[in-house]
Amino acid sequence: MQKSILDKEEYIKFAEHRAKRTNSVKNTAAAFIVGGLICVLGQLLCDLYMMIGISEDTSCSLVSISLIFLSCLFTALGWYDRLALIAGAGTLVPITGFANAVISPALDYKAEGLVAGMSAKMFIIAGPVIVYGTIASVIYGLIYYICTVLF
């Protein structure tokens, strides 16, 4: 049996024909609204924590912890993925998206065990972000230090 081989142009035409068309305006609006609602939830939590007498600095920390916890809980229940289908980048940008990126692979590989599965796969997506973010912050810190010492 002979396989047909598409050249590059034929493949591009084939892929464009098969690609699902998206509504950019609708997707952008959904991302904006859901991302904004996540931020509003964070502000409401901050105000609630301060209302019960917690200091502003501690309240800000508790908001991050609360949003991370809720993101992990919703990911474990399968709700976060359903929301992400509707909201797209609106769920990826805030802190909740990073928590989702850490917990999702851990849940996917839990059958392989605690060490070889969950622990090893937990940072498969978020790991490069952490590594390059740390390196970028060190480089920025060095540049800042050199500029403040020399100037």
Side-chain angles (χ1 to χ4, degrees):
M1 185 189 254
Q2 184 178 3
K3 291 183 180 181
S4 65
I5 299 175
L6 299 175
D7 66 2
K8 189 175 182 177
E9 291 176 17
E10 289 175 333
Y11 177 75
I12 291 172
K13 287 179 185 176
F14 173 76
E16 287 175 355
H17 177 69
R18 300 281 297 174
K20 182 180 174 186
R21 304 290 182 233
T22 59
N23 185 339
S24 297
V25 174
K26 179 183 156 216
N27 292 344
T28 302
F32 179 78
I33 290 168
V34 172
L37 287 174
I38 291 170
C39 295
V40 167
L41 174 62
Q43 186 62 52
L44 289 173
L45 287 171
C46 186
D47 293 344
L48 176 70
Y49 292 142
M50 287 192 295
M51 196 182 324
I52 61 173
I54 299 173
S55 71
E56 186 176 355
D57 288 343
T58 305
S59 292
C60 292
S61 298
L62 286 174
V63 167
S64 295
I65 293 166
S66 300
L67 289 175
I68 290 169
F69 170 76
L70 289 171
S71 176
C72 293
L73 176 66
F74 290 172
T75 299
L77 295 173
W79 299 350
Y80 201 90
D81 291 337
R82 284 188 231 144
L83 180 62
L85 286 174
I86 298 166
T91 58
L92 297 176
V93 177
I95 192 170
T96 55
F98 190 76
N100 175 263
V102 172
I103 199 72
S104 289
L107 291 174
D108 290 343
Y109 291 97
K110 69 181 177 185
E112 293 181 23
L114 186 61
V115 175
M118 287 177 58
S119 299
K121 301 295 184 180
M122 185 178 294
F123 295 106
I124 198 164
I125 295 172
V129 174
I130 294 169
V131 169
Y132 290 111
T134 303
I135 291 170
S137 66
V138 168
I139 292 170
Y140 174 77
L142 289 172
I143 291 169
Y144 179 79
Y145 177 76
I146 289 169
C147 288
T148 56
V149 170
L150 295 177
F151 302 110

